[in-house]
Amino acid sequence: MSSYNLSHVAQLEHEAIFIIREFAAQFERPSLLFSGGKDSIVMVKLAQKAFWPAKFPFPLVHIDTGHNFPETMTFRDQLVAETAARLIVGSVEASIRAGRATEEKGPNPSRNGLQTVTLLDTIAEFKFDASLGGGRRDEEKARAKERIFSARDEFGQWDPKNQRPELWNLFNGRKHVGENFRVFPLSNWTEMDVWQYIARENLAIPSIYFAHDREIVNRNGTLLARSPWITLLPGEKWETRRVRFRTVGDATCTGAVLSNASTLAEIIQEVASARQTERGTRADDKRSEAAMEDRKKAGYF
């Protein structure tokens, strides 16, 4: 069938499956970074399609901050059981106890940035030479600088000025000993594309993506959900609002949005009218203009 007769989501699916197969062909010890969020859920589905009817081809690697939404952890375990995938969990808490990372201080200490140390240690322990990630270029401006095959040096660091050209559908996975790659098959997808794909494939997702009543506090414009890791500041109070989450991450920095969207169709309609990117709800991304880029240069996803 001519590509002109395919929907744009179907074309994106074909491209992503091609990239995943290239990834599997070029690397010896691949893995798939899995957060339990919508992008990594789509990645799992694409990987299943890429190698069906074979068993799930890569281990899922979850970097556990210890500050997760319980709904996400429940969903992660259900998906692992359904796919019969191998799950590898890297613990930020263990990195802190070992002195490899230092806990932030303050009323809502984020562990989002601490994931870098745990991720790099996990990659080294299991000798992964490449990892699939669900990053998209519409998420944040630093993401837009990524190549699909993103080269990292022997220290796990990303240099946006030292990436390989990607002409047509040619991807260069050659590397020196100790170097690593992150591969992003969803690079040409948008948040809307992801939701349309989830709807098309009828994929299960964590319940926090749908509108529900939750206690939140408005901290500098970010609606933080009540959790054991957030301390109220003077003048703040918890209030119950109807919210949902556009992105899944560390509960101390992942903000909710006011919403009544309780179905996939309503979420798609809401995303179509949104004027803020999903990462605009992440408090840690607001710490500086280059917060994400700085973390990526240090080895972040």
Side-chain angles (χ1 to χ4, degrees), residues 72-299:
T72 306
M73 301 299 285
T74 298
F75 180 87
R76 181 201 71 180
D77 295 339
Q78 290 173 345
L79 185 141
V80 168
E82 290 170 2
T83 59
R86 178 189 178 196
L87 176 66
I88 294 172
V89 178
S91 169
V92 173
E93 180 69 40
S95 297
I96 293 171
R97 290 199 303 267
R100 296 280 295 150
T102 303
E103 186 84 86
E104 288 186 358
K105 307 299 182 183
N108 56 309
S110 171
R111 288 183 174 180
N112 215 32
L114 304 187
Q115 294 179 83
T116 299
V117 170
T118 308
L119 172 62
L120 295 180
D121 287 349
T122 303
I123 287 173
E125 178 182 354
F126 292 91
K127 298 181 173 59
F128 295 129
D129 54 357
S131 300
L132 288 175
R136 307 185 324 270
R137 289 173 181 166
D138 72 324
E139 286 182 85
E140 201 274 344
K141 58 187 178 182
R143 299 282 203 200
K145 298 180 181 180
E146 283 280 18
R147 295 290 192 269
I148 292 175
F149 274 42
S150 179
R152 309 297 172 105
D153 66 18
E154 61 270 28
F155 301 105
Q157 297 173 326
W158 172 72
D159 180 0
K161 297 180 180 179
N162 190 30
Q163 297 295 310
R164 287 118 185 242
E166 291 180 340
L167 305 176
W168 302 287
N169 288 325
L170 300 177
F171 303 109
N172 184 354
R174 294 181 181 178
K175 61 182 182 58
H176 298 294
V177 175
E179 292 181 337
N180 193 270
F181 273 78
R182 311 287 163 73
V183 176
F184 301 103
L186 304 186
S187 287
N188 291 324
W189 296 51
T190 65
E191 182 186 8
M192 175 64 81
D193 296 328
V194 168
W195 282 116
Q196 289 179 329
Y197 189 77
I198 289 171
R200 192 190 82 164
E201 298 294 318
N202 195 27
L203 300 181
I205 55 176
S207 59
I208 60 173
Y209 280 118
F210 298 104
H212 59 285
D213 293 333
R214 205 179 196 103
E215 287 187 285
I216 58 98
V217 61
N218 187 333
R219 180 165 296 168
N220 299 321
T222 300
L223 305 183
L224 297 175
R226 186 166 190 166
S227 75
W229 314 291
I230 295 179
T231 302
L232 291 180
L233 300 175
E236 291 183 337
K237 64 178 182 179
W238 298 112
E239 55 181 330
T240 300
R241 303 295 296 273
R242 192 150 185 81
V243 301
R244 73 175 192 87
F245 292 85
R246 292 177 66 186
T247 180
V248 169
D250 193 310
T252 61
C253 64
T254 302
V257 294
L258 299 175
S259 175
N260 290 310
S262 58
T263 66
L264 287 175
E266 290 173 345
I267 289 175
I268 289 171
Q269 184 176 9
E270 183 178 274
V271 170
S273 61
R275 292 296 177 265
Q276 182 185 49
T277 67
E278 61 190 285
R279 292 202 69 92
T281 63
R282 291 285 188 97
D284 56 334
D285 284 353
K286 299 177 181 179
R287 294 183 177 185
S288 75
E289 285 291 324
M292 171 62 82
E293 184 159 338
D294 291 342
R295 291 201 302 275
K296 285 173 65 62
K297 286 180 178 178

